[in-house]
Amino acid sequence: MLNKYARAFFTRVLTPFAALLIRLGVSPDAVTLTGTAGVCAGALVFYPRGEFFWGTVVITLFVFSDLVDGNMARQLGRSSRWGAFLDSTLDRVADGAIFGGLTLWYAGRGDDNVLCAVTIFCLASGQVVSYTKARGESIGLPVNVNGLVERAERLVISLVACGFSGLHEFGVPHIDILLPIALWIVAVGSAVTLVQRVVTVRREAAEADAGERTVPQGGEAR
């Protein structure tokens, strides 16, 4: 849902900014690299220290590069396989940094082994959810399924919860409970999404294999 509606909205909003960067001679790849570096810095510098509000502010400023670089490529007419590969690869790096930063917090000053394990699961399951789609498509399957919690949902739920939980530093009572709740939601949602994709790939693979074994009357095997 977020991929369909929110992405379209922010793409329209960020189009003038993308056009400005093009006029300044900035390349889409440079935006991709800068955005990923900013997200990683925000997550790995602030989150392990428990500074969730400021870390989320920094991450949010850079996370929109994921929309800006694609917008620039379309305006330039330079959409390419390399750009898509770079963007997708660095998305995984950024996601790993966000949940890695939270893992470091719970393994350190946050001192909560259960939430540390949940956060590790969020990190790993997010990567595997992405892999299942990429692997399915690489063997010629459409992987035609809308998962319950995909990347956009994982980021929005996690970052919103982190940002609001960070208000605890400014004296807002009990709001820090939002982050553990969000991590459990992301963990369960990612597990459901993984099952959805695996089931879909299994069904599509079975249909494709059955089609290949079909022998039309008077014809050769397809």
Side-chain angles (χ1 to χ4, degrees), residues 128-145 197-198 200-205 208:
V128 177
V129 163
S130 298
Y131 173 80
T132 54
K133 185 173 181 64
R135 185 69 180 108
E137 290 175 342
S138 74
I139 58 176
L141 301 175
V143 196
N144 189 20
V145 59
R197 288 195 173 176
V198 169
T200 298
V201 169
R202 186 177 187 277
R203 174 178 53 79
E204 291 177 349

Side-chain angles (χ1 to χ4, degrees), residues 13 17 27 37 43 62 74 78 83 122 127 157 160 176-177 193-194:
V13 170
F17 180 61
S27 72
F62 285 98
R74 285 190 294 275
R78 295 182 187 170
C122 289
Q127 305 292 331
I157 293 170
V160 168
D176 52 327
I177 192 64
T193 303
L194 179 58

Side-chain angles (χ1 to χ4, degrees), residues 112-188:
D112 192 317
N113 288 337
V114 172
L115 286 175
C116 180
V118 171
T119 309
I120 291 173
F121 180 80
C122 289
L123 191 162
S125 60
Q127 305 292 331
V128 177
V129 163
S130 298
Y131 173 80
T132 54
K133 185 173 181 64
R135 185 69 180 108
E137 290 175 342
S138 74
I139 58 176
L141 301 175
V143 196
N144 189 20
V145 59
N146 293 319
L148 179 64
V149 175
E150 298 187 346
R151 184 173 188 259
E153 287 81 8
R154 287 198 305 273
L155 285 181
V156 170
I157 293 170
S158 302
L159 293 178
V160 168
C162 279
F164 278 109
S165 292
L167 295 177
H168 183 73
E169 302 174 53
F170 301 97
V172 180
H174 310 303
I175 199 166
D176 52 327
I177 192 64
L178 289 178
L179 182 54
I181 292 172
L183 290 173
W184 278 105
I185 290 173
V186 170
V188 173

